[in-house]
Amino acid sequence: MKKFNFRKVLDGLTASSPVGSSGGGSGSGAGGGSVHPGGTAGAAGTPREEIQETLTSDYFQICKTVRHGFPYLPTALAFDPVQKILAIGTRTGAIRILGRPGVDCYCQHESGAAVLQLQFLINEGALVSACADDALHLWNLRQKRPAVLHSLKFNRERITYCHLPFQSKWLYVGTERGNTHIVNIESFILSGYVIMWNKAIELSTKTHPGPVVHLSDSPRDEGKLLIGYENGTIVFWDLRSKRADLRAYYDEAIHSVAWHHEGKQFMCSHSDGSLTLWNLKSPNRPFQTTIPHGKVQRDGKKPESCKPILKVEYKTCKNSEPFVIFSGGLSYDKPCRRPSLTIMHGKAITVLEMDHPIVDFLTLCETPYPNEFQEPYAVVVLLEKDLIVVDLTQSNFPIFENPYPIDIHESPVTCTEYFADCPPDLIPVLYSVGAKHKKQGYSNKEWPISGGAWNLGAQTYPEIIITGHADGSVKFWDASAITLQMLYKLKTSKVFEKQKVGEGKATAEIVEEDPFAVQMMYWCPESRIFCVAGVSAYVIVYKFSKHEVNTEIASLEVRLQCEVEDIITPEPETNPPFPDASSQLPSLKSLSGSTNTVACEGTMKDSIPCLSVKARPVRMPPGYQADLVIQLVWVDGEPPQQITSLAVNSAYGLVAFGNCNGLAVVDFMQKTVLLSMGTLDLYGSSDPYQRQPRSPRKSRQFAADNFCMRGLSNFYPDLTKRIRTSYQIKGSRKLSLPTDLKTDLDHVNGHCTSPTSQSCSSGKRLSSADVSRANRRGPGRPPFRKAQSAACMEISLPVTTEENRENSFSRSRSSSVSSIDRDSKEAITALYFMESFARKNDSAVSSCLWVGTGLGMVIILSLNLPASDDLRQSEPVMVSPSGTVLTLKGAVLTFACLDCMGTLTHRPYEVWRDPHSADDGDKTRKRKLVMHSPSSSQDMGDHQFAVICSEKQAKVFSLPSQTCLYVHNITETSFLLRADVVTLCNSVCLACFCANGHIMTLSLPSLRPLLDINYLPVTDMRIARTFCFTNEGQALYLSSPTEIQRLTYSQEMCDNLQDMLGDLFTPVETPEAQNRGFLKGLFGGSGQAFDREELFGEATAGKASRSLAQHIPGSGGIEGVRGAAGGVIGDLTRARIALDERGQKLGELDERTASMMASAEAFSKHAHEVMLKYKDKKWYQF
């Protein structure tokens, strides 16, 4: 524990004023990573007490905790019918293993190669994966974090199909060349036994049969192997005699094969949409051929071909007809028909249409033994973007309600917020209002994937994750104890009128694909006030109520635009981002064929918002209800700019938001606009820069660069392949352009309706007539070619495509971000309401709004609120600049306040009360405010510390003296994407995420580096847009379009993580095989395990060629546990695994002993019967 004496620090301060410096504040030229004091010595009294900083580097360690959501780009599916766990492989080399809710494990192949196939070692706690790089891996699932035990890399052949018989240790591997190899699962060594393709087919066959597409042993005799080749050849191979028992040929390619449980018949699916049923006794031709979805020809000819049936499963039932389940096979004459799964049960055919293409499916059966009646009870269907389970036990085939959070990506995620240690009553309250909107019609059976074990663990504080989506929806998730469960869904688009289909095609203003996309969110858990900023330049304030109401939605319209004199209009010929602009933009006429792109019959678009708020009363169910909608409007033909910062305070009753033009402050209690001002006007006489009008011939970057990329979240989504930019055209009209990845022009023609002639003053609501007349579609969208898109990419971000999402992240910005020479507009990038000292000589705190800009300037606005609660609804609130300006290097990201003891000061808030509570009556209840004001003192010492972090540096100021106590230059070559002041172990620190992948923490208030690890390369815009920190050492980001990755930077949580994770493997007895009868047991199939050992072992089969495959030892098993966990936890884990293994081996030994005893008794009985039968007979009577 290190003590910092501010008295001693202040004694050594240099006499340089942080505000008076025109170069960007004190310490702005310091080297990266330096920590030094700066400011004016003796400007104010020093703190009377020493501040003890308890956090040291020992408190920090980074590790990933859990991944939620649907596996991105799934490719393979497997199920363990005894352990009842499900595995999903993906194109990125990941494996997700799912069991009961809470059991969710993510593991990743180091190679990153796509997973082709997965095979469980049923009830063994192991999994085999086959990857696209022709490697096999054996995963140990008997530990909470699975690890690879062995790997086998094929060098000369490509793997196409694998099959592992139940209770066998020999894995069959089919290859592209048509050969079949055999791998010992225990040693992961290739056997010398090989089934060569030219030995399997007939000698007279002149063509190669193609790759192996199917392998399976006969349910009747494990010594027989069925091999399916792509060209339609089927070989029934006798493993003992090493020859083909029979061969069958079909003139259509084979996709899959399925056995009848008796082992006398098998079914094949083909590329022409047909199913063929074969009998082993007559393999010359199939005894039944059907095309389930083919049209029957009138002349009796074969039904017309359909789409390929990619997979078929043939499952028998003891008391009913067998199930034939297949994917694909639809008719070609219905091209728009959705992907489907067909279930044939007797004569009934049911087609289940899916929302997404089917990747794979599995039928869940009661028994793991292939030679028994299968008794299917469910079908797991893996879609490209969903996982559903169908109940086969009910005739209408309902689906099970999915308990996993796999619908995160229902609409693309555009922003995230994470709240740890929030009020404990929030989760049950949100769940209660969300449960009322759940869908009906699910199966009443229990979720069948119920394996594994999970407990709450030690950390039980409430956690909530909020995700904003492209369709305007907001989802609240319970994230406590490293699980994720949906609590409540809010649809923000419901406050607006629906966009009519085709409405925008005849106009020059087209709303982009997702006009309601959520861009920013702000939530106050204590007061339950929730605020959303949308991509179409609007803000919605929500209040929480448990009661349904029917009311009109209040709305305000705000003009927020820079003056024309402040806008620099670059010449296209000299603008570096658009080298071809002079040729492609010769005039405005070439854009739309008219003299004015945003004009309509000579009228300029003005005072019109992008969307239309519903004017009629709206029914609002319990939950979050819209209290106020604030929209930015067009000004002089220029569309409103997207919102770059947002803050709300329930105690003050104010919401503030800003963009690249300026700042607006709205009183949501009185529904009035208090302030709507350009950024330059906020400075007043305190503007440290001399801004002179410049020549329009000056080469300038366009205004999108002035966002200073506040976390890059302003550039909404790469998922729609659009990057919003803006470009200044002569005449001060700006067009907001999407940069589409298209080679052709996105032509838009037509005219718009005339805007309302009445100008909208601050706080005025348009009448319903005005609303109906106004055309409230989005900004103008003139077409631009791909050349412009490429130019925009140089300045902003790489445009990602569907095929290449994970490309490298880059951002081209000049080093003179804070130079006024390049900025005509100054974006508002951070806002913070706080009880603070607005001016240097203030003796008491007052209500303030801290404003941070893209140039690193911090402006403090004074808020003059009515003295009493009774006057709050009637007296106006005054907002005025205080004259205080502080400076940092780079765009300001975040603010926080500490008291004189170094403890984080909570923002003021109003204690929640239901706005529509029935017990209110006519009398209004008094608001209960929690202000958290710093303690006052008799002397004029400093009582508060302001922490300000920009994308380049962090500073701590002492208030009210405004002395800069500490400066830390975080990065010189990169920039911060996210910074948050968080609590950890009853202390406070500053957590930062840098664009170069570094995660850093700094102590407060001294800004000592505590952690700096290059941990997460920003390979995708998604990471930059969604990364966020929260209290108790936790963070999250969107690792793929469908998955949330959570991580911790707390050493304590890393140590306890092993206890919090679920167990994938639990000791379960393998069900006993059904008694097959005396004769079948004695004279039935003899392909036992010892026979395989005799056939495939080194003694008989010899060694495989070393050049064929290379064995690579893994790090799993006990060694993997030893590396993953240390101390007592590791010892306990190892002991438990050893006990599990010993118990399982003893159980297997007991089973073998019992089986041998039963066999001996049966043989003894049979021998005795034979003896009795022939005892009294003579030799000539035999």
Side-chain angles (χ1 to χ4, degrees):
M1 186 183 297
K2 189 171 181 181
K3 294 183 178 180
F4 290 88
N5 190 330
F6 281 178
R7 189 186 301 275
K8 295 179 181 178
V9 172
L10 290 171
D11 287 343
L13 295 178
T14 57
S16 58
S17 171
V19 179
S21 169
S22 62
S26 65
S28 61
S34 62
V35 181
H36 62 275
T40 306
T46 58
R48 295 164 297 163
E49 304 209 11
E50 297 176 354
I51 292 183
Q52 295 183 344
E53 292 187 358
T54 57
L55 292 180
T56 64
S57 58
D58 296 334
Y59 283 79
F60 296 93
Q61 181 186 340
I62 293 184
C63 69
K64 292 178 180 176
T65 54
V66 68
R67 184 172 292 211
H68 303 295
F70 182 75
Y72 184 53
L73 301 175
T75 54
L77 185 66
F79 182 71
D80 187 326
V82 179
Q83 288 289 321
K84 295 192 182 301
I85 55 175
L86 187 79
I88 300 173
T90 74
R91 198 184 301 172
T92 58
I95 298 176
R96 285 282 290 283
I97 304 170
L98 303 169
R100 67 176 66 246
V103 177
D104 185 346
C105 180
Y106 167 84
C107 36
Q108 173 74 42
H109 291 94
E110 289 184 5
S111 64
V115 178
L116 298 179
Q117 198 177 350
L118 295 171
Q119 289 267 310
F120 275 105
L121 277 67
I122 294 174
N123 205 25
E124 295 286 339
L127 176 72
V128 175
S129 60
C131 295
D133 61 349
D134 307 307
L136 296 171
H137 306 276
L138 178 65
W139 293 84
N140 177 17
L141 306 184
R142 295 184 178 229
Q143 54 195 60
K144 294 192 174 184
R145 294 224 160 177
V148 174
L149 283 166
H150 301 283
S151 297
L152 189 68
K153 179 79 165 66
F154 281 73
N155 297 322
R156 295 185 301 188
E157 299 197 51
R158 308 218 65 181
I159 298 171
T160 55
Y161 194 87
C162 298
H163 171 64
L164 180 66
F166 178 48
Q167 293 182 327
S168 167
K169 68 174 184 178
W170 297 95
L171 175 73
Y172 302 112
V173 182
T175 68
E176 197 174 42
R177 291 186 181 180
N179 302 324
T180 302
H181 301 275
I182 301 169
V183 178
N184 186 315
I185 288 295
E186 292 178 349
S187 61
F188 237 59
I189 295 175
L190 210 57
S191 167
Y193 192 114
V194 184
I195 305 172
M196 304 298 290
W197 69 270
N198 54 352
K199 299 286 179 64
I201 64 172
E202 286 184 323
L203 294 174
S204 59
T205 306
K206 296 181 180 179
T207 57
H208 190 279
V212 175
V213 294
H214 179 81
L215 292 168
S216 61
D217 55 337
S218 167
R220 192 178 185 186
D221 184 356
E222 294 174 343
K224 304 289 179 67
L225 185 68
L226 190 71
I227 308 172
Y229 294 95
E230 189 180 60
N231 73 344
T233 301
I234 301 162
V235 176
F236 197 48
W237 184 264
D238 189 328
L239 292 167
R240 300 181 196 85
S241 61
K242 300 183 181 179
R243 62 181 179 82
D245 268 9
L246 60 87
R247 299 179 179 91
Y249 300 95
Y250 194 70
D251 54 3
E252 292 291 342
I254 293 175
H255 284 281
S256 71
V257 182
W259 278 101
H260 187 281
H261 83 274
E262 291 179 348
K264 298 176 182 178
Q265 300 173 1
F266 60 88
M267 183 179 286
C268 301
S269 70
H270 300 278
S271 57
D272 64 343
S274 64
L275 295 173
T276 55
L277 194 58
W278 301 77
N279 196 315
L280 293 180
K281 291 183 178 179
S282 55
N284 294 330
R285 61 186 178 86
F287 77 86
Q288 183 179 323
T289 302
T290 57
I291 301 180
H293 294 296
K295 287 185 178 178
V296 180
Q297 305 292 338
R298 291 181 180 177
D299 52 3
K301 291 182 180 178
K302 179 183 174 183
E304 63 180 24
S305 297
C306 294
K307 295 176 183 178
I309 295 178
L310 301 178
K311 183 175 182 179
V312 64
E313 294 212 339
Y314 188 20
K315 301 298 180 183
T316 53
C317 303
K318 197 168 188 176
N319 300 318
S320 68
E321 295 288 326
F323 281 89
V324 176
I325 304 168
F326 62 87
S327 61
L330 296 178
S331 174
Y332 279 108
D333 63 355
K334 295 181 180 177
C336 298
R337 193 166 178 178
R338 294 191 295 180
S340 67
L341 185 80
T342 304
I343 302 174
M344 300 170 64
H345 188 215
K347 293 183 179 180
I349 299 179
T350 305
V351 178
L352 304 177
E353 291 192 337
M354 306 294 169
D355 292 332
H356 309 284
I358 297 173
V359 175
D360 198 359
F361 73 91
L362 285 174
T363 308
L364 309 188
C365 301
E366 296 289 353
T367 176
Y369 295 93
N371 56 358
E372 297 177 356
F373 281 104
Q374 298 298 287
E375 304 295 346
Y377 60 89
V379 181
V380 179
V381 188
L382 177 64
L383 309 178
E384 278 190 2
K385 294 183 179 180
D386 203 358
L387 176 74
I388 65 170
V389 182
V390 181
D391 186 354
L392 293 179
T393 62
Q394 299 182 44
S395 58
N396 60 339
F397 303 129
I399 65 171
F400 289 86
E401 185 175 6
N402 198 319
Y404 308 132
I406 60 170
D407 57 346
I408 293 172
H409 63 288
E410 187 179 14
S411 173
V413 178
T414 53
C415 57
T416 58
E417 292 295 337
Y418 191 5
F419 299 86
D421 205 10
C422 50
D425 60 330
L426 277 174
I427 289 177
V429 164
L430 287 169
Y431 182 80
S432 66
V433 296
K436 297 175 183 176
H437 305 289
K438 283 195 173 182
K439 296 178 182 177
Q440 304 297 322
Y442 290 112
S443 170
N444 54 10
K445 300 284 183 66
E446 291 290 326
W447 179 251
I449 305 164
S450 56
W454 176 78
N455 54 20
L456 279 173
Q459 290 177 309
T460 56
Y461 49 80
E463 299 172 67
I464 291 178
I465 292 171
I466 308 178
T467 54
H469 299 263
D471 64 352
S473 61
V474 175
K475 292 180 181 179
F476 291 76
W477 306 84
D478 177 8
S480 308
I482 68 170
T483 61
L484 196 70
Q485 181 183 10
M486 227 248 293
L487 294 172
Y488 172 67
K489 181 178 179 180
L490 172 67
K491 295 180 179 178
T492 65
S493 59
K494 286 196 169 183
V495 305
F496 299 106
E497 297 287 355
K498 285 185 179 178
Q499 303 256 301
K500 293 179 182 177
V501 177
E503 183 183 5
K505 291 185 178 178
T507 74
E509 298 82 45
I510 288 195
V511 176
E512 57 181 82
E513 294 170 9
D514 297 301
F516 306 114
V518 178
Q519 195 172 10
M520 304 183 79
M521 301 178 294
Y522 193 101
W523 190 43
C524 177
E526 291 81 9
S527 63
R528 303 186 189 176
I529 292 283
F530 183 62
C531 208
V532 169
V535 74
S536 298
Y538 62 82
V539 171
I540 310 175
V541 180
Y542 286 92
K543 290 184 176 179
F544 188 86
S545 175
K546 295 179 181 179
H547 303 278
E548 180 178 315
V549 294
N550 200 315
T551 182
E552 286 194 16
I553 302 170
S555 65
L556 293 173
E557 292 174 0
V558 178
R559 294 173 67 93
L560 195 60
Q561 210 76 7
C562 281
E563 295 300 319
V564 174
E565 301 88 80
D566 295 324
I567 297 177
I568 307 302
T569 54
E571 286 290 320
E573 297 85 0
T574 58
N575 196 341
F578 290 93
D580 301 327
S582 57
S583 60
Q584 297 198 17
L585 300 175
S587 69
L588 288 173
K589 285 187 179 181
S590 67
L591 292 178
S592 62
S594 66
T595 56
N596 192 340
T597 319
V598 292
C600 172
E601 300 174 357
T603 306
M604 186 174 293
K605 195 167 185 178
D606 189 61
S607 301
I608 298 177
C610 298
L611 299 171
S612 236
V613 179
K614 289 179 179 176
R616 62 185 182 277
V618 178
R619 186 188 73 85
M620 298 183 189
Y624 274 105
Q625 300 168 348
D627 185 59
L628 177 64
V629 180
I630 309 156
Q631 290 183 281
L632 296 180
V633 296
W634 289 63
V635 178
D636 298 331
E638 185 174 350
Q641 292 300 292
Q642 290 182 17
I643 292 163
T644 58
S645 56
L646 175 68
V648 65
N649 189 279
S650 56
Y652 301 160
L654 303 180
V655 58
F657 59 93
N659 61 11
C660 64
N661 288 329
L663 171 71
V665 181
V666 173
D667 183 341
F668 64 79
M669 293 181 69
Q670 297 186 24
K671 310 290 190 290
T672 58
V673 179
L674 304 178
L675 181 77
S676 175
M677 190 178 287
T679 312
L680 303 186
D681 299 325
L682 295 174
Y683 290 100
S685 60
S686 305
D687 190 353
Y689 295 115
Q690 297 299 317
R691 307 173 196 248
Q692 299 295 334
R694 299 182 184 276
S695 166
R697 302 289 301 179
K698 182 87 173 171
S699 174
R700 302 288 297 276
Q701 286 194 17
F702 56 78
D705 200 27
N706 301 336
F707 279 67
C708 288
M709 307 293 195
R710 191 249 188 269
L712 297 144
S713 61
N714 309 300
F715 292 94
Y716 154 78
D718 50 345
L719 294 168
T720 56
K721 304 180 185 176
R722 289 173 180 246
I723 296 174
R724 290 190 130 214
T725 72
S726 49
Y727 182 68
Q728 301 293 337
I729 297 179
K730 275 191 174 183
S732 75
R733 294 189 188 94
K734 188 185 68 177
L735 306 174
S736 185
L737 309 177
T739 58
D740 259 338
L741 297 179
K742 295 180 182 177
T743 53
D744 58 334
L745 286 175
D746 235 345
H747 286 293
V748 179
N749 298 313
H751 64 279
C752 64
T753 58
S754 175
T756 54
S757 56
Q758 179 183 0
S759 62
C760 180
S761 61
S762 297
K764 178 172 177 56
R765 179 175 176 175
L766 290 180
S767 67
S768 58
D770 294 334
V771 172
S772 63
R773 287 200 307 271
N775 183 348
R776 303 206 173 181
R777 288 179 292 278
R781 297 282 188 262
F784 271 75
R785 291 185 182 272
K786 195 173 181 179
Q788 268 82 7
S789 298
C792 293
M793 280 190 276
E794 288 180 15
I795 292 172
S796 50
L797 302 168
V799 177
T800 57
T801 62
E802 197 68 43
E803 292 77 19
N804 182 21
R805 295 286 187 184
E806 306 297 325
N807 56 356
S808 60
F809 176 87
S810 61
R811 189 170 107 189
S812 171
R813 290 206 309 171
S814 67
S815 59
S816 58
V817 170
S818 58
S819 169
I820 201 62
D821 182 58
R822 279 199 172 265
D823 289 284
S824 58
K825 295 183 181 181
E826 188 174 358
I828 305 296
T829 57
L831 294 166
Y832 188 75
F833 286 103
M834 177 48 64
E835 292 287 297
S836 184
F837 299 91
R839 298 171 184 83
K840 245 183 188 180
N841 300 322
D842 284 358
S843 58
V845 294
S846 59
S847 304
C848 298
L849 173 62
W850 292 59
V851 181
T853 76
L855 296 183
M857 311 302 294
V858 177
I859 307 162
I860 303 179
L861 302 182
S862 292
L863 308 174
N864 189 358
L865 298 163
S868 67
D869 188 53
D870 299 335
L871 300 174
R872 179 63 185 86
Q873 293 287 356
S874 56
E875 292 292 319
V877 177
M878 304 300 294
V879 182
S880 58
S882 66
T884 299
V885 178
L886 309 175
T887 57
L888 285 87
K889 185 163 56 174
V892 178
L893 296 181
T894 191
F895 299 100
C897 275
L898 310 180
D899 63 16
C900 59
M901 300 305 295
T903 306
L904 183 64
T905 305
H906 198 287
R907 288 181 286 264
Y909 65 88
E910 177 189 359
V911 176
W912 176 79
R913 60 172 183 172
D914 198 323
H916 306 295
S917 178
D919 58 4
D920 272 359
D922 296 330
K923 57 181 181 179
T924 57
R925 286 181 296 171
K926 192 175 178 71
R927 297 169 70 220
K928 185 179 178 181
L929 306 182
V930 181
M931 300 307 286
H932 294 291
S933 298
S935 57
S936 58
S937 176
Q938 296 300 321
D939 59 15
M940 291 298 292
D942 285 348
H943 313 300
Q944 198 178 50
F945 303 104
V947 181
I948 309 173
C949 185
S950 74
E951 60 181 9
K952 291 288 187 181
Q953 67 178 185
K955 285 187 177 183
V956 175
F957 291 90
S958 180
L959 300 179
S961 66
Q962 297 178 10
T963 304
C964 180
L965 291 177
Y966 288 96
V967 178
H968 180 74
N969 290 297
I970 297 169
T971 177
E972 292 290 343
T973 58
S974 187
F975 55 94
L976 293 187
L977 295 167
R978 180 83 183 208
D980 290 293
V981 176
V982 294
T983 58
L984 177 67
C985 300
N986 297 317
S987 192
V988 63
C989 66
L990 175 65
C992 308
F993 175 51
C994 197
N996 60 15
H998 284 251
I999 293 177
M1000 295 164 279
T1001 59
L1002 305 173
S1003 70
L1004 290 176
S1006 65
L1007 297 178
R1008 287 179 300 115
L1010 299 173
L1011 174 77
D1012 187 353
I1013 296 180
N1014 187 3
Y1015 188 74
L1016 183 65
V1018 185
T1019 55
D1020 196 277
M1021 251 296 297
R1022 190 178 304 105
I1023 299 174
R1025 193 178 62 245
T1026 58
F1027 193 99
C1028 55
F1029 295 99
T1030 188
N1031 298 329
E1032 308 303 333
Q1034 299 210 62
L1036 67 79
Y1037 63 94
L1038 218 66
S1039 56
S1040 74
T1042 62
E1043 295 168 292
I1044 287 176
Q1045 177 68 57
R1046 289 164 69 178
L1047 54 90
T1048 180
Y1049 50 95
S1050 162
Q1051 177 69 58
E1052 181 185 4
M1053 188 166 181
C1054 288
D1055 293 341
N1056 296 330
L1057 184 60
Q1058 202 71 14
D1059 292 334
M1060 300 173 71
L1061 297 173
D1063 290 295
L1064 296 173
F1065 179 81
T1066 54
V1068 179
E1069 284 192 18
T1070 302
E1072 292 186 7
Q1074 293 177 3
N1075 187 6
R1076 298 197 296 168
F1078 169 70
L1079 290 176
K1080 284 188 176 181
L1082 188 61
F1083 302 112
S1086 58
Q1088 302 299 321
F1090 61 87
D1091 286 334
R1092 288 197 182 99
E1093 181 68 37
E1094 187 178 336
L1095 282 171
F1096 307 144
E1098 189 176 318
T1100 306
K1103 290 184 178 181
S1105 170
R1106 288 189 176 182
S1107 60
L1108 183 61
Q1110 176 189 1
H1111 176 260
I1112 304 167
S1115 59
I1118 298 297
E1119 293 78 11
V1121 176
R1122 190 178 295 124
V1128 178
I1129 295 173
D1131 293 337
L1132 288 173
T1133 306
R1134 287 190 287 275
R1136 191 170 67 184
I1137 288 177
L1139 283 172
D1140 287 345
E1141 291 176 349
R1142 183 172 179 268
Q1144 189 180 15
K1145 287 176 181 176
L1146 286 172
E1148 289 172 356
L1149 184 61
D1150 287 342
E1151 289 174 6
R1152 287 199 203 104
T1153 305
S1155 176
M1156 289 173 67
M1157 288 177 67
S1159 299
E1161 286 178 5
F1163 183 76
S1164 173
K1165 184 180 178 182
H1166 182 63
H1168 186 66
E1169 289 173 352
V1170 172
M1171 184 269 292
L1172 291 175
K1173 183 178 180 181
Y1174 297 105
K1175 182 176 67 171
D1176 297 327
K1177 292 189 178 183
K1178 305 296 181 181
W1179 62 270
Y1180 52 82
Q1181 292 177 321
F1182 286 109

